[in-house]
Amino acid sequence: MARQWSEGHSTSILCVGTSSGSEGLIASGSEGGEVTLWSQEGTVVGRLTLPGEEDNTSVVFSPAAPGQLYVSHGDTVSVLDPRNLKGPVEEFQGAGEEEINALALNETGSALAVADDSGAVRVLELPGGKVCRTLRRHTNICSSVAFRPHRPNNLVSAGLDMQVMLWGLQKTRPMWTLNLQDVAEEEDDHQQRPGQLFNPPLAHCVSVASCGNILGCAAEDGRVHLMRIGSGSKLEQQGAVKAHSQGASQAHFVSFLSHPYWLVTGGNDGQVTLWDLTRHPVVAPEGIAKTRVAAASRRKGKSKAKRKEQTQDKAKTPPKAEAEKEEAEVEDEATAGAEEVTEEKSGPKLSISHGDKVNWLCPAVLKGEPSVVVADQSSSLTVYPLSQL
């Protein structure tokens, strides 16, 4: 049953974060600079309006020090003490070159990444907030940033230039860049129906599974684009899940379920969906070969009739060309079969009609129950249990 948490804000909630501390507090930030702290039961335990009253775009608790909460508003990051929510303990003014869209902390709490409207990602040393790196490769707004677990010097960024980039903080150029538009165009060449329109894959939200090797990126084309990082931090494989009928605004791996490959997504279609990606080809590449063989043999029966019709044409076709044609057909069938099986296996395990455009999703364990906290266009939060699993 969904629960509503209300009376914490007077404006639309834009971002939510959860603390790893013993109290397991939830923080939310909204338009007009409001920051609210919630208990696990959904009662308001603290509230503050930040000076300047700019929209709060990201709230992140330090994984190393639960007594530190970072909030971005305008080009500033405010450091708050959740135990004494009276005003900023510290302010990093000009942390972003322009308005900040997202914050991320590495696991040790020693680096804060800041993504902004100029397309830059700045990395601040903590404590102190000194800028130690500025990463400039995005040609449009940088909308999301995430550190890789187990690799505190590896950072992923995504932007409205449709690019996803992996950075090693030793250098100021990305280790690799994936252009989601190129990927989407390739896929659509195979799958597009006449008259079907697709939104461009502007990248809105990037997340890394707790294993550190699988990335998910929610994009405006309704897909969540998946990437696997191999040895030497190379991009080993990429694919996608068709998650939403409109733009996908949120994608977060859930670290507290049965394995690291649960992903919760939210979109402009008002849907909140939970995916088990263990069998997705990007996560489990060893399953692909078996799938293709099985699919090809299953489709062989279907194509017997077709082959019969084609035998009449064989006399007219040179043997070499005919062999090549058959080989291509078998390959096409195997690939098509693999796609079908993948689709079938990768449907959502849970689909919730939330009914309003999703601004933010935050997976959290509340009173021992796996849950997802949803922020939308309203001034309330909605909590859905994931315990059906």
Side-chain angles (χ1 to χ4, degrees), residues 8-307:
H9 290 273
S10 62
T11 54
S12 180
I13 301 171
L14 302 177
C15 52
V16 188
T18 182
S19 149
S20 56
S22 53
E23 305 91 12
L25 293 172
I26 306 288
S28 54
S30 70
E31 293 172 353
E34 294 177 351
V35 180
T36 301
L37 283 176
W38 308 80
S39 71
Q40 294 206 352
E41 292 84 6
T43 53
V44 175
V45 294
R47 196 187 288 148
L48 172 71
T49 299
L50 290 169
E53 298 189 10
E54 292 168 297
D55 295 353
N56 295 322
T57 51
S58 193
V59 287
V60 187
F61 284 93
S62 168
Q68 287 172 339
L69 172 65
Y70 296 84
V71 183
S72 57
H73 50 104
D75 65 358
T76 300
V77 176
S78 291
V79 189
L80 307 177
D81 183 349
R83 298 158 301 190
N84 184 20
L85 201 65
K86 286 193 174 156
V89 178
E90 209 174 350
E91 280 198 320
F92 307 144
Q93 291 188 337
E97 295 182 2
E98 291 180 22
E99 186 175 347
I100 298 167
N101 298 307
L103 300 176
L105 280 159
N106 66 359
E107 284 175 313
T108 57
S110 62
L112 175 70
V114 173
D116 72 25
D117 276 2
S118 74
V121 178
R122 279 182 166 177
V123 182
L124 281 56
E125 284 175 356
L126 297 176
K130 182 185 169 213
V131 177
C132 61
R133 274 275 179 271
T134 302
L135 310 171
R136 296 179 210 277
R137 277 298 162 99
H138 287 286
T139 56
N140 202 324
I141 288 169
C142 185
S143 48
S144 185
V145 68
F147 280 95
R148 279 180 77 191
H150 319 302
R151 291 166 186 80
N153 289 320
N154 268 204
L155 183 69
V156 185
S157 65
L160 302 194
D161 57 357
M162 301 177 269
Q163 313 267 353
V164 177
M165 302 181 188
L166 178 69
W167 306 83
L169 294 186
Q170 295 82 357
K171 295 181 178 170
T172 54
R173 64 173 186 272
M175 297 159 95
W176 52 257
T177 299
L178 180 68
N179 185 323
L180 299 184
Q181 191 170 29
D182 294 349
V183 171
E185 279 171 6
E186 277 173 35
E187 286 186 12
D188 295 342
D189 283 347
H190 300 301
Q191 297 171 4
Q192 192 160 0
R193 298 179 196 91
Q196 193 175 3
L197 296 172
F198 287 102
N199 289 326
L202 312 174
H204 292 307
C205 178
V206 72
S207 177
V208 191
S210 57
C211 64
N213 296 329
I214 303 294
L215 313 182
C217 181
E220 189 60 31
D221 59 359
R223 293 184 174 109
V224 175
H225 296 265
L226 301 173
M227 288 140 261
R228 187 173 75 246
I229 303 173
S231 57
S233 294
K234 291 187 178 74
L235 176 59
E236 202 167 71
Q237 195 158 355
Q238 56 76 27
V241 172
K242 291 175 191 167
H244 294 274
S245 61
Q246 294 178 39
S249 55
Q250 289 279 292
H252 297 271
F253 283 99
V254 185
S255 60
F256 47 75
L257 292 176
S258 53
H259 56 70
Y261 308 118
W262 289 100
L263 181 78
V264 65
T265 69
N268 297 345
D269 57 1
Q271 295 291 316
V272 174
T273 49
L274 181 70
W275 305 83
D276 178 354
L277 299 177
T278 36
R279 293 186 175 188
H280 193 282
V282 170
V283 175
E286 62 281 356
I288 299 172
K290 290 178 195 168
T291 300
R292 283 194 174 160
V293 170
S297 60
R298 205 177 62 233
R299 288 173 69 90
K300 241 179 202 171
K302 292 182 191 175
S303 57
K304 266 183 186 170
K306 192 176 162 192
R307 294 267 164 83

Side-chain angles (χ1 to χ4, degrees), residues 298-348:
R298 205 177 62 233
R299 288 173 69 90
K300 241 179 202 171
K302 292 182 191 175
S303 57
K304 266 183 186 170
K306 192 176 162 192
R307 294 267 164 83
K308 205 173 182 183
E309 287 164 27
Q310 289 166 350
T311 43
Q312 285 92 344
D313 304 333
K314 276 198 179 178
K316 304 168 198 170
T317 315
K320 192 181 173 193
E322 183 60 43
E324 282 171 5
K325 189 179 165 192
E326 280 199 14
E327 206 172 288
E329 272 172 18
V330 169
E331 246 176 62
D332 285 349
E333 282 172 8
T335 312
E339 278 168 13
E340 278 176 18
V341 174
T342 304
E343 281 300 312
E344 190 185 306
K345 283 181 182 172
S346 61

